Amino acid sequence: MLALLTSSTDPGVELTEAPDPEPLPNEALVAVAAISLNRGEVRALATKPPGSLTGWDLAGTIRRP
């Protein structure tokens, strides 16, 4: 899958391949069609270690409830 991960180079994020997630019983797997970074996420990029997942605002289709 493609994921938005933090990066040590500008602009602080990169779209890269990552392992498919395994949702917990109380989570859903979503095929994401669109994502945006909010102001708080952008400000926090410098404090996260490289390779951290980022981005919580998304739109998509539930693949597995």
Side-chain angles (χ1 to χ4, degrees), residues 4-16 42 45-46 48-51:
L4 193 59
L5 302 177
T6 57
S7 170
S8 58
T9 59
D10 283 339
V13 293
E14 62 183 343
L15 190 60
T16 187
V42 172
L45 288 176
K48 292 185 171 227

Side-chain angles (χ1 to χ4, degrees), residues 2-57:
L2 287 175
L4 193 59
L5 302 177
T6 57
S7 170
S8 58
T9 59
D10 283 339
V13 293
E14 62 183 343
L15 190 60
T16 187
E17 285 291 328
D20 287 343
E22 279 298 321
L24 296 173
N26 62 338
E27 297 177 332
L29 183 63
V30 177
V32 177
I35 186 170
S36 69
L37 292 178
N38 65 44
R39 184 179 357 183
E41 291 165 334
V42 172
R43 288 183 179 166
L45 288 176
T47 65
K48 292 185 171 227
S52 299
L53 284 170
T54 190
W56 298 103
D57 301 327

